[in-house]
Amino acid sequence: MDRPHLPLNALRAFEASARHCSFTKAAIELCVTQAAVSYQVKKLEEQLNVRLFKRLPRGLMITQEGESLLPVLQDSFDRMAGVLDRFQGGRFREVLSVGAVGTFAAGWLFPRLADFRERHPLVDLRLSTHNNRVDIAAEGLDFAIRFGDGAWHGTAAAKLCEAPFSVLCAPDMAQGLRTPQDVIGKTLLRSYRPEEWTRWFEAAGLPLPVPPHKQVVFDSSLTMMDAVLQGVGLALAPALMFRRHLAGGSICQPFDLSVNMGSYWLTHLKSRTPTPAMLAFRDWLMATTR
């Protein structure tokens, strides 16, 4: 069917009737009479040569043919409504989808988002978090903020900041840590990267203990830090992202020693042409991390 001949009023009448299972309730929503809604649905059925509803004494029952049509219409109407909602004061609000590794989101982005919104009120930022494993294309993201070495296949990467890993622990546990050697025998918490504590022991000039340390593995530095707060063990984590905890005294950094495990990067698909919203977010983020 050609677009100029799409029966839009009839399709709206059918979609509302299907949601409410009632011509009367659909008429109230659409601000028309019940007879008008019934007529529109009947004309649509005649045009398609199928029955979309079974008329019952107390309402409607959608048919199989109606069920096949309904989700397509709902998705289409929702998308149109979403686009129209993005017009504000005669200007168009641009959606920007960003996926950020949870540690960076909580430790850096969240405290600064108000500044971005104030500077760019027409950018509708949609922020999600991940544990450093993300598929930009599959998740429909404009940007992904990740931790690593900056080398991800098919992506362009701009370095945001370094975040050396340090030993972090609860204040009670810090009292017994005077030198790095005091770590030996403690429960160590780490991420999915198995080399973290090995690198720290090497930097401290300490031999790896035999047998190996008791280690608890987490898929997120945020959940690992919650374990630290509860006194489960010692964590290796980017102290920069937990400055508020350190300033508030809820966690401690007993040693100055740190190891560089990577940096935070702003990444996007090389095939993605940057939009004005992407450029605005990139410039703002690069400026704040400097």
Side-chain angles (χ1 to χ4, degrees):
M1 187 179 296
D2 295 335
R3 287 187 182 183
H5 299 98
L6 288 175
L8 295 178
N9 287 336
L11 292 172
R12 288 182 64 207
F14 162 73
E15 190 272 338
S17 300
R19 274 191 288 107
H20 294 293
C21 292
S22 167
F23 288 149
T24 301
K25 292 180 180 179
I28 294 173
E29 176 183 319
L30 299 175
C31 299
V32 296
T33 65
Q34 186 269 354
V37 172
S38 177
Y39 174 77
Q40 289 287 354
V41 172
K42 183 179 179 182
K43 294 294 290 184
L44 181 61
E45 289 177 322
E46 291 175 353
Q47 186 172 359
L48 300 177
N49 197 28
V50 296
R51 290 187 64 190
L52 300 173
F53 294 111
K54 292 181 180 178
R55 278 69 169 172
L56 303 176
R58 296 185 178 180
L60 303 170
M61 177 181 293
I62 193 168
T63 64
Q64 184 175 354
E65 291 80 6
E67 288 180 342
S68 66
L69 179 60
L70 180 60
V72 177
L73 290 181
Q74 289 178 326
D75 178 67
S76 300
F77 288 143
D78 287 344
R79 290 170 63 185
M80 285 188 285
V83 171
L84 293 175
D85 285 342
R86 286 158 55 189
F87 284 89
Q88 178 177 310
R91 300 181 65 183
F92 184 69
R93 291 176 57 86
E94 188 177 354
V95 173
L96 179 69
S97 298
V98 178
V101 62
T103 311
F104 187 88
W108 192 272
L109 266 185
F110 293 164
R112 295 168 173 81
L113 281 182
D115 178 68
F116 177 76
R117 292 194 180 100
E118 183 177 349
R119 293 173 183 271
H120 303 283
L122 295 178
V123 175
D124 187 0
L125 179 61
R126 309 286 175 86
L127 182 63
S128 61
T129 60
H130 57 80
N131 63 353
N132 217 40
R133 294 180 172 92
V134 61
D135 188 328
I136 299 179
E139 298 177 32
L141 299 174
D142 296 305
F143 283 122
I145 299 173
R146 316 186 199 194
F147 183 84
D149 59 7
W152 290 278
H153 179 69
T155 65
K159 187 175 181 179
L160 297 175
C161 62
E162 294 183 353
F165 279 39
S166 304
V167 175
L168 303 178
C169 63
D172 290 346
M173 299 194 73
Q175 294 177 6
L177 301 176
R178 292 177 175 81
T179 68
Q181 191 168 0
D182 294 330
V183 166
I184 297 174
K186 306 295 185 183
T187 298
L188 307 182
L189 315 180
R190 68 169 177 84
S191 74
Y192 56 86
R193 291 177 288 268
E195 73 279 6
E196 291 176 352
W197 279 106
T198 300
R199 294 270 298 276
W200 187 86
F201 272 96
E202 291 174 348
L206 296 173
L208 293 177
V210 179
H213 275 58
K214 297 175 290 183
Q215 294 191 2
V216 182
V217 180
F218 295 82
D219 67 351
S220 165
S221 293
L222 297 179
T223 53
M224 180 171 65
M225 200 53 57
D226 188 51
V228 166
L229 292 170
Q230 299 183 50
V232 175
L234 311 178
L236 264 185
L240 176 65
M241 297 301 142
F242 296 97
R243 286 189 300 182
R244 287 182 294 122
H245 296 76
L246 290 165
S250 59
I251 63 171
C252 297
Q253 182 180 342
F255 316 116
D256 291 334
L257 178 66
S258 62
V259 291
N260 188 5
M261 301 297 300
S263 304
Y264 288 102
W265 300 79
L266 181 66
T267 70
H268 66 87
L269 293 176
K270 290 180 178 178
S271 59
R272 179 78 163 95
T273 301
T275 64
M278 290 176 67
L279 296 175
F281 182 78
R282 183 200 65 189
D283 292 346
W284 171 82
L285 188 57
M286 297 295 289
T288 61
T289 52
R290 292 194 192 101

